[in-house]
Amino acid sequence: MKVLLLEDVYKLGRAGEVKKVAPGYARNYLMPQGLAVLATPGAVKQSGRIKKQGEVKRAKVNQELGGVAEQLAGKRFTFAAKASETRRLYGSINTQMIAEIVSEEIGVTVLAKQIESQPLRMIGKHNVAVRLTIDLIPEIEIIVHREGESPESALEEEEKEALMAEEALAEFLEEERAEAEVEDDSTDAEPTAEADVEEQDQEEAEADEETA
């Protein structure tokens, strides 16, 4: 189904563009939210006007939130949580929790749907995008650490685990290389052994002829 976008829609398109989408997505979300209409010939004729209006609105919002985007970019937020020895949380840090702490920090309401992240379920550092507008998507840093410990301890724990994983991979690759070398040596040795047998058979045959 083709629709004409009336507003900017993240990961889909900008106001005034015609996009092909799933019928269910159009009927259940885009149209009820006033984000798009069916791309009939009459509607498409209005695309130029809608595009210009969208550009004006977009420029205004980007200007208003530009400072907020700069304030958020690279900013660190921390959450304390209970976790197992394997760093997995007993629960999760969801987008609503992240939106609330971000809103409190910058003084601007950020909705959960503007947080581009799956629920965080591991101790450590997570980079999360905050969708302010279709153009302004600053990335923040979320540090999830154990209750009663510092955020730095979570980073150290994560780095230690990453180092152990790298060492384990290097050991595995070294074993694979050693096994491959052994197989190559065995393959090279087989023709030599066969040649030795053939040479011995030939010598025995010559000896028999001389005796005869």
Side-chain angles (χ1 to χ4, degrees), residues 2-41:
K2 290 186 177 181
V3 297
L4 172 66
L5 298 181
L6 302 178
E7 301 284 349
D8 293 345
V9 180
Y10 184 59
K11 291 185 178 179
L12 180 59
R14 299 170 184 265
E17 293 180 345
V18 174
K19 295 292 180 178
K20 186 175 182 180
V21 299
Y25 181 48
R27 296 193 183 97
N28 299 329
Y29 178 71
L30 294 176
M31 292 179 180
Q33 296 291 327
L35 301 175
V37 294
L38 193 62
T40 62

Side-chain angles (χ1 to χ4, degrees), residues 85-163:
E85 293 182 357
T86 59
R87 299 176 43 243
R88 182 168 291 277
L89 304 186
Y90 297 124
S92 66
I93 307 300
N94 58 39
T95 54
Q96 182 59 43
M97 297 166 69
I98 298 173
E100 288 175 358
I101 196 173
V102 170
S103 298
E104 183 178 349
E105 174 68 24
I106 65 177
V108 175
T109 300
V110 174
L111 303 178
K113 66 181 181 179
Q114 292 176 271
I115 305 297
E116 297 294 318
S117 173
Q118 296 295 319
L120 308 180
R121 303 183 187 280
M122 296 291 290
I123 290 291
K125 181 177 72 172
H126 307 269
N127 295 321
V128 175
V130 182
R131 178 169 43 85
L132 299 176
T133 72
I134 197 170
D135 296 316
L136 300 177
I137 311 173
E139 192 172 83
I140 61 175
E141 190 175 89
I142 302 292
I143 305 296
V144 184
H145 61 94
R146 297 179 188 277
E147 289 184 350
E149 298 183 6
S150 67
E152 288 71 23
S153 66
L155 297 178
E156 292 172 0
E157 189 174 350
E158 187 176 40
E159 289 175 2
K160 181 179 179 181
E161 186 171 299
L163 180 59

